[in-house]
Amino acid sequence: MARVRTVRSLGVVGLVLAAAVTAGCSGSSSGPPAASHASSGSGTSARAGAAPAPTESNPPGDIPDNQAYVAFRPSGGAFTVKVPEGWARTGQGGTTVFTDKLNRVEIATATASSAPTVTSVGSKVVPRLRGQVPKFDGPKVSQVNRHAGSAVLLKYQGDSAADPVTGKVVRDAFERYAFYRQGHEVDLTLSGPVNADNVDPWRIVTDSFSWK
C-alpha cells in the first residue's frame, strides 16, 4: 500500500513538473514578438543609414566632371577657345555667350591700342562693372599665365538676373580674363554660383584659349 502511495506521489510530481515546463515554454513564446518589434525599429534606422534620401548628382551650379568641350572660333576670329558642349549659344556684335542652368561663359572681342594691365583694369573696367553688375563686390585684379600667355584676371562677385519663372536671384562668382595680341583684345568671363566647385572646368576653358 505504501508502494502505491509512492507511485502516486511520483506521478503527481511529474505532472507538476510537466505543467511548469509547459508554462515556461508558453512564457518564452511571448518573447519573440517583443524582440521582433524592437528589431523592426532598429532595422528602419539601419535602412535609413544605408540608403539616404536621393540627392542631386551634382550640387546646383557644379559642372559635371564628364562634361565634354568643343572648340569655338568666331567668324573671322583670330583665336579659338573650348566651351562646354551642348550649352545654349547667343551672340550680339562682338560678344558670344554660352549658358547652361546657372553657369555662363561670355567671350567678348574688341580692338585695343595697348594691352590691358592690372592698373588699367582696376581703374577702367572695375568702375564700369560696378555700374552694370547688381551688388558688385570684392574685385581682385592680378596678372596670370595661361597656355596662350599672360592675361589680366579680374575676380569679383555679383547678383544674377532674377529667374523669369521663379524670380530667384543667385549670388555669382566671376572670373574675367583679358587676353591681348597685336591690337586684338579678348575678354573671357566665366560665372556661376559662389558655392559651386567649377575650378577645373574653368581652367579647361581658359587654358584652351589660343591665338590663330
Side-chain angles (χ1 to χ4, degrees):
M1 191 68 177
R3 186 174 181 181
V4 172
R5 290 194 187 97
T6 301
V7 171
R8 288 179 177 174
S9 299
L10 290 174
V12 171
V13 171
L15 291 173
V16 171
L17 289 175
V21 171
T22 302
C25 291
S26 63
S28 64
S29 66
S30 63
S36 175
H37 178 74
S39 63
S40 173
S42 62
T44 302
S45 298
R47 287 195 299 273
T55 58
E56 295 183 23
S57 58
N58 296 288
D62 273 15
I63 299 173
D65 292 337
N66 62 352
Q67 172 67 56
Y69 298 83
V70 294
F72 165 72
R73 183 177 183 179
S75 178
F79 67 92
T80 61
V81 61
K82 288 183 178 179
V83 295
E85 185 178 29
W87 285 23
R89 173 181 169 179
T90 57
Q92 183 175 5
T95 301
T96 305
V97 178
F98 296 88
T99 57
D100 180 69
K101 300 181 179 69
L102 302 177
N103 295 293
R104 189 172 189 268
V105 176
E106 177 181 302
I107 306 164
T109 61
T111 57
S113 58
S114 61
T117 64
V118 171
T119 300
S120 66
V121 170
S123 63
K124 297 179 181 179
V125 178
V126 168
R128 174 166 53 83
L129 291 176
R130 194 181 299 278
Q132 296 175 345
V133 179
K135 296 185 180 179
F136 178 91
D137 189 37
K140 295 180 181 179
V141 188
S142 62
Q143 189 165 343
V144 297
N145 289 315
R146 289 295 185 264
H147 288 330
S150 178
V152 178
L153 168 61
L154 168 60
K155 291 185 176 183
Y156 59 96
Q157 292 185 7
D159 284 355
S160 70
D163 185 281
V165 177
T166 65
K168 183 178 180 180
V169 175
V170 177
R171 188 66 174 168
D172 283 339
F174 295 79
E175 290 188 6
R176 177 187 183 275
Y177 294 79
F179 295 93
Y180 178 85
R181 191 182 74 166
Q182 299 176 352
H184 297 282
E185 181 175 339
V186 178
D187 299 324
L188 181 59
T189 304
L190 309 100
S191 62
V194 168
N195 292 326
D197 182 11
N198 288 331
V199 174
D200 291 338
W202 287 4
R203 183 77 189 206
I204 290 173
V205 173
T206 57
D207 263 343
S208 73
F209 181 89
S210 63
W211 295 103
K212 297 299 180 182

